[in-house]
Amino acid sequence: MSYKILEEYTQPLVDNIKDNYLSILKNVGEDPKRDGIVKTPERAAKAMQFLTQGYEMDAEQILLGAMFEEDYEDMVLIKDIELYSLCEHHILPFFGKVHVAYIPDGKIVGLSKIPRVVDVFARRLQVQERLTRDILDAINKTLQPKGVAVVIEAQHMCMMMRGVQKQNSATTTSGFRGQFKESETRNEFLKLIS
């Protein structure tokens, strides 16, 4: 039995990006006609289009598509959401985990929509600080909950592979709105994700 992964690409965009990757390969001294490299520009172009598909997505529409009235007033926590993004400074990956919590105010959202919101903003050229705020603000604006919390823990290849070359470093960013600004609620959230 076999399976097929459906990936869609905009061919004119792939062709344009492919030409740029071909130029890069030549400029770094690689032979673009070498057997292992011949298809690399097209593969890299498709990868770049996939890794930046967040520009074509709308977090608000994702959340609105699965929002439900519900009389639930306690914390909803989705933790350890896998994160993969590209640093806008070097176009190198950063990766880690995202923890998101909200306290509903009459509306909840389908649980799978929170990781999708993470991907909307992660699949763009990013800095971790803005990524944290983007996720937080999208959930806060659309759901209008009593509070929202986001913590991101990530490792950055731009720090690991080049520059300071610190392989064991990690960066943590956080953002809090509403009731999560109160120390008791924030501390409960932080305890649950530790």
Side-chain angles (χ1 to χ4, degrees):
M1 185 188 293
S2 65
Y3 66 94
K4 184 177 182 179
I5 296 174
L6 179 62
E7 293 185 16
E8 296 180 16
Y9 299 100
T10 305
Q11 197 57 47
L13 181 58
V14 168
D15 291 340
N16 190 19
I17 297 171
K18 178 175 77 171
D19 291 343
N20 287 301
Y21 274 113
L22 182 62
S23 178
I24 290 169
L25 289 173
K26 289 177 185 175
N27 284 322
V28 299
E30 185 55 73
D31 175 7
K33 292 186 171 111
R34 186 166 64 79
D35 191 35
I37 299 288
V38 170
K39 293 185 179 179
T40 296
E42 182 168 0
R43 286 190 297 259
K46 287 179 176 179
M48 183 57 74
Q49 190 173 0
F50 176 81
L51 294 171
T52 58
Q53 65 184 307
Y55 292 113
E56 304 298 321
M57 298 174 171
D58 185 333
E60 185 175 344
Q61 290 305 311
I62 289 170
L63 291 168
L64 289 172
M67 200 159 43
F68 310 100
E69 303 259 341
E70 188 63 48
D71 186 26
Y72 184 81
E73 298 178 347
D74 294 305
M75 186 185 310
V76 177
L77 169 64
I78 301 96
K79 67 181 202 171
D80 297 329
I81 301 166
E82 294 176 6
L83 163 70
Y84 301 97
S85 192
L86 291 175
C87 162
E88 70 181 32
H89 299 146
H90 303 99
I91 311 183
L92 288 173
F94 66 96
F95 57 92
K97 295 184 184 222
V98 181
H99 314 288
V100 177
Y102 72 97
I103 300 171
D105 190 12
K107 294 179 182 154
I108 61 169
V109 68
L111 295 176
S112 69
K113 302 310 176 193
I114 301 294
R116 289 182 195 275
V117 168
V118 169
D119 281 346
V120 165
F121 297 111
R123 297 295 187 199
R124 300 175 183 189
L125 298 181
Q126 274 289 9
V127 294
Q128 185 173 330
E129 297 87 344
R130 184 173 59 251
L131 177 58
T132 305
R133 189 188 66 233
D134 286 347
I135 296 166
L136 186 75
D137 289 346
I139 294 167
N140 195 49
K141 177 185 173 198
T142 308
L143 283 180
Q144 298 178 351
K146 293 177 182 173
V148 184
V150 175
V151 169
I152 298 179
E153 304 166 300
Q155 294 180 286
H156 294 251
M157 297 304 285
C158 58
M159 284 184 63
M160 298 167 73
M161 292 179 66
R162 61 169 308 283
V164 295
Q165 297 180 34
K166 300 300 178 198
Q167 283 71 34
N168 296 313
S169 66
T171 302
T172 302
T173 51
S174 63
F176 305 99
R177 298 285 186 274
Q179 289 184 5
F180 285 98
K181 289 194 172 211
E182 299 170 13
S183 60
E184 185 178 337
T185 308
R186 184 173 57 248
N187 289 340
E188 179 186 353
F189 166 71
L190 294 172
K191 182 178 179 185
L192 288 169
I193 67 171
S194 65

